[in-house]
Each structure stands twice: as C-alpha cells, then as structure tokens.
Amino acid sequence: MSTVWLIDGRAVSDTSEDWRHECEARAIAALPTLEERRAWLESLEKKRGKEAVDRLRATMKALWAGRGSK
C-alpha cells in the first residue's frame, strides 16, 4: 500500500475508493474521441446512475483544468 496524491491535493491510499475513482476518470478522459468518452459514460450511467457519472465528469473537468496550470 502506497500514498498517492489526488487532483484536489489530498493524500490517500492507492487502495482507496477515491484513488480508484480518479483512475477511472483519468482512463475515460484519455479515450481518443469525444464520442468514445460519451459512450463510456452513457454505459456507466445505465449501470451506476446519473450521480456517479456526474461525479466522474466533475473529476475529468478538474483533471483537464489542471493540465493547463502546469
């Protein structure tokens, strides 16, 4: 088990749900096209609900915003 830093600056375990969530958001954000990202999120919304997908979208936006500040 290791400590990792989230986009929001928190330090968490690499086995935590917060880290899993951020990794999932990074993976979706890295898909090559908008269509692929939308399809992936639509599929997740059917399985997990709108709230879960809205949270992923917010994390993805934070990740993209963070890229411009480096």
Side-chain angles (χ1 to χ4, degrees):
M1 182 165 53
S2 298
T3 300
V4 293
W5 296 92
L6 299 177
I7 190 72
D8 65 8
R10 291 182 295 137
V12 298
S13 166
D14 65 353
T15 61
S16 71
E17 171 59 21
D18 288 334
W19 180 241
R20 187 213 56 80
H21 167 83
E22 189 165 308
C23 288
E24 183 176 35
R26 289 175 187 272
I28 297 167
L31 290 172
T33 67
L34 177 60
E35 292 78 22
E36 288 176 277
R37 292 188 296 274
R38 284 181 176 164
W40 194 268
L41 290 169
E42 184 178 305
S43 173
L44 286 177
E45 188 169 339
K46 289 176 184 175
K47 294 175 186 173
R48 298 187 204 162
K50 186 176 182 336
E51 186 177 318
V53 171
D54 286 347
R55 185 171 172 242
L56 279 168
R57 282 188 177 111
T59 302
M60 291 164 58
K61 287 178 185 177
L63 291 165
W64 286 325
R67 287 182 187 164
S69 65
K70 292 180 181 178

